[in-house]
Amino acid sequence: MTPTRKSKETQVKPLDVLWGGERPRPARGPRPGLSVDKIAAAAIRIADEEGLDALSMHHVAGKLGYTAMSLYRYVPSKEQLVDVVYDRALGPPPTAGRTGQPATDDPDGSDGSGAARDWRAEVRGWVRSMLTVYQQHPWLLDITTSSPPLGPNQLAWLEALLQAFAGIGLTDEEMLHLVMFVTGAVRDLAHTSSEMAQAPEKTGVSMEQIGEGYADAMRHLADSARFPMLARLVGSGTFEPNETPYNDTVPSLDFGLELLLDGVEEHVRRRLRG
Amino acid sequence: MTPTRKSKETQVKPLDVLWGGERPRPARGPRPGLSVDKIAAAAIRIADEEGLDALSMHHVAGKLGYTAMSLYRYVPSKEQLVDVVYDRALGPPPTAGRTGQPATDDPDGSDGSGAARDWRAEVRGWVRSMLTVYQQHPWLLDITTSSPPLGPNQLAWLEALLQAFAGIGLTDEEMLHLVMFVTGAVRDLAHTSSEMAQAPEKTGVSMEQIGEGYADAMRHLADSARFPMLARLVGSGTFEPNETPYNDTVPSLDFGLELLLDGVEEHVRRRLRG
DNA sequence: CAAAACTCTATACGCCATACACTCAGGTAT
DNA sequence: ATACCTGAGTGTATGGCGTATAGAGTTTTG
C-alpha cells in the first residue's frame, strides 16, 4: 500500500569503497550483517578457487548466506566490486614495510647517502614479487578495470618501483615512463604465461596434445617460404620444451629486463658525461 | 516419431576455421548461405562500431539476417569465433609484402649482405604499426584468447618482428625472448591507453572529472609520508596533462624501447668483443 | 509509540551461450 | 522420375548473468 516512499538511501561512493572508507555505522536501521571486507574476501576466495568466471554477485552473496541484491548495499556495481577485489588481491608490495625517504629534492641523482644501493636488484626483486602475486591470483590478469590505478595497493606497488628507480640520474618523467614500460611487460608476459597454463584444463586438451597441435601448425609453415624466421627457430629447436616448462615466460622477462636496465645505465652515464 | 537419427554431421575443426580451411562445398544439401568469412566480417564490424560487449551470437547472426544457431554450422563456439575474429582483425603486418630471406644459417649475426640494414628502425616501425592496429580495433586488447598464437596473421606479425631482430648477433633463443618482451610491453601499454580512453564514455564521467578525481586521490597521499615518490611526481607536475593527451602511453613506449634497443646493441657488442 | 532510516529479500526484465529436436532444400543413386 | 539422405537453418528451452524495483522486516530517534 505504501506508495514507494523514497528514503534518502545511503549512496555508496566509488572511491570510498576502494579505500575502505569505513562507513560510520548506520545507527538507525538493523545492524549490517555484511561489509565490503567480507564481500571482497569471499569474492577473492571464489576467484582463487573457481576462476574469474565464477565471480558473480549471486555466487558471492550465496557463499556468505545472503541474496545477490544485498551486496548492492555495500558496493555500487559489480564493476566497482571487481575494482576493490583487484586492489585487495594485489596486497602490499614487498618493500612497503620500510617507509624510507628516498625522495630528496636532489634532481640529478646521487641521493647523498654514502653507499650506493643496488637499484637493479631492487627492480629485479619488484618484478619477481609482482610475478609471484600474478601466479597466486592469475585471474587478476583477466580483469579489465577501465579505471586508472587508484587503489591503495596499486599505488603502493607503483611507489615501490618508482623508489627503485629513484636517485640514479633519471628525470621524474623518465622514471614514470620506465615504470609504465616495466609494469606493462611484466603484466603481459605473466598474462600469456597464465593463459597457456590454463589452456589444458579449460579446453580439455592435454598439454601434450597442445604441443602436438603447435608442432603441426609449425610444420605447416616450416616447409613454406612464408615464415622463414619461424621455420628457422623451429628447426633449431627453440620452440622445443627444454628444462623449463612450455609456458614459462620468466626467461624472456629476465632477458628483456636486463637489457633494459643496461640501457638505463648507459642512458644516465651518457647524460652525466655529456 | 523418428528416434533422433544421428547423421554424421560435418564437424567443424578449430584450426581449419582459423586458417580459413575452405570446406569443399557440401554437394548434397542446400547451398550454404553463410561462411566463416561473412560471419567474421560481420563480427568485426560489430566490435568496431559497438564494442566487444555487443559481439554476441544473436547480434552477429541478426546483422546477417539469420538466427544465432545457424552460426554454429560454421563455427564450433563463440570462443573459436573470437579467435578467428582476432586474427582477421589483426590483418597482415606491414612488411609482409617483401618475403625476403633474412634467415641464413649464419649463427653469429652478420648476414653477409653488404649494407647493414637499420634494424632499430624496423623494430620501431613494427611497434608503431602494432599500435596503429590496436588503435583501430581497441577491443582486440580486451580479448583473452586462451590459446597460443596460431592464426596466420598472428604468426606473420611474430615473423616480422623476428626478422627485424635477425642477423644482428643474437641467438635464436634471445631473439624469441626479445620478441615476447617487446610484444608484451606494446600490448599492455596500448591496453591501458585504450582503457583510459574509453573511461569517459563508459562511466559517463567527463575526462575533466576523471582528472579531478585523480588529483583528489593524489592529494590524499601527497601530504602523507606514505607515497613519497608519487608525491614528488605530483609536486613536479609530472602527472599534469602537458601537450600530449592524458592517456597517451606512446612516450613511455618510445622511451622504454629505445633503452631496450640500446641494451641489445651493447649486449651483442659485448659478445663480439668478449 | 509512531515515524524514519536502514538492511535484506523477492520478483522480474532483458540479456547471454548453447543443447536439442525439428523442417525442409536440393543433390545423388536407383 | 523417384526415393533417399545429408546438411542448412529455425524454434524452443535451460540455466546463467547484472541489476531495477518494490516491499518486508528491524532498529533507533523524536
Side-chain angles (χ1 to χ4, degrees), chain A residues 185-232:
Chain A
V186 172
R187 252 194 86 88
D188 196 84
L189 288 196
H191 194 187
T192 69
S193 171
S194 134
E195 269 175 359
M196 300 196 315
Q198 289 169 357
E201 46 184 297
K202 195 169 182 184
T203 63
V205 187
S206 76
M207 208 61 136
E208 297 170 359
Q209 277 177 317
I210 291 180
E212 274 177 37
Y214 217 79
D216 268 9
M218 288 308 182
R219 218 156 298 135
H220 242 271
L221 45 92
D223 53 0
S224 154
R226 191 169 165 191
F227 301 118
M229 282 304 295
L230 284 174
R232 171 181 172 150

Side-chain angles (χ1 to χ4, degrees), chain B residues 112-136:
Chain B
S113 77
R117 62 198 178 80
D118 190 350
W119 61 271
R120 289 182 72 126
E122 284 181 31
V123 174
R124 259 183 239 119
W126 187 95
V127 168
R128 306 307 277 223
S129 305
M130 194 82 261
L131 277 183
T132 303
V133 171
Y134 287 144
Q135 272 165 11
Q136 277 163 352

Side-chain angles (χ1 to χ4, degrees), chain B residues 68-181:
Chain B
M69 289 316 291
S70 65
L71 303 189
Y72 287 90
R73 286 276 147 203
Y74 302 88
V75 154
S77 69
K78 189 195 178 183
E79 197 172 339
Q80 287 290 337
L81 171 59
V82 168
D83 279 355
V84 174
V85 161
Y86 187 98
D87 197 81
R88 298 280 232 273
L90 256 192
T95 57
R98 65 158 180 85
T99 43
Q101 58 272 18
T104 70
D105 255 353
D106 182 5
D108 82 14
S110 67
D111 63 353
S113 77
R117 62 198 178 80
D118 190 350
W119 61 271
R120 289 182 72 126
E122 284 181 31
V123 174
R124 259 183 239 119
W126 187 95
V127 168
R128 306 307 277 223
S129 305
M130 194 82 261
L131 277 183
T132 303
V133 171
Y134 287 144
Q135 272 165 11
Q136 277 163 352
H137 309 295
W139 46 271
L140 280 177
L141 297 158
D142 292 325
I143 290 179
T144 288
T145 62
S146 86
S147 65
L150 280 176
N153 286 325
Q154 283 183 86
L155 291 183
W157 278 90
L158 200 59
E159 169 77 23
L161 187 52
L162 279 170
Q163 288 187 11
F165 281 123
I168 64 171
L170 294 168
T171 69
D172 289 352
E173 217 175 22
E174 288 172 341
M175 281 191 285
L176 191 56
H177 287 332
L178 260 185
V179 164
M180 292 182 62
F181 194 82

Side-chain angles (χ1 to χ4, degrees), chain A residues 77-139:
Chain A
S77 68
K78 190 198 176 182
E79 195 171 342
Q80 287 289 338
L81 171 58
V82 168
D83 280 355
V84 174
V85 160
Y86 188 97
D87 197 80
R88 298 280 230 273
L90 256 192
T95 57
R98 65 159 178 85
T99 43
Q101 56 272 17
T104 71
D105 255 354
D106 181 4
D108 83 14
S110 67
D111 63 352
S113 80
R117 64 198 176 77
D118 190 351
W119 61 272
R120 291 183 68 128
E122 283 181 32
V123 174
R124 258 183 240 120
W126 186 95
V127 168
R128 307 309 276 221
S129 306
M130 195 80 262
L131 277 183
T132 305
V133 171
Y134 288 144
Q135 270 164 12
Q136 279 163 351
H137 309 295
W139 45 271

Side-chain angles (χ1 to χ4, degrees), chain A residues 104 172 177 229 232 252 266, chain B residues 104 159 177 232 236 252 266:
Chain A
T104 71
D172 289 352
H177 287 331
M229 282 304 295
R232 171 181 172 150
S252 300
E266 193 174 310
Chain B
T104 70
E159 169 77 23
H177 287 332
R232 170 181 174 151
S236 72
S252 300
E266 192 173 311

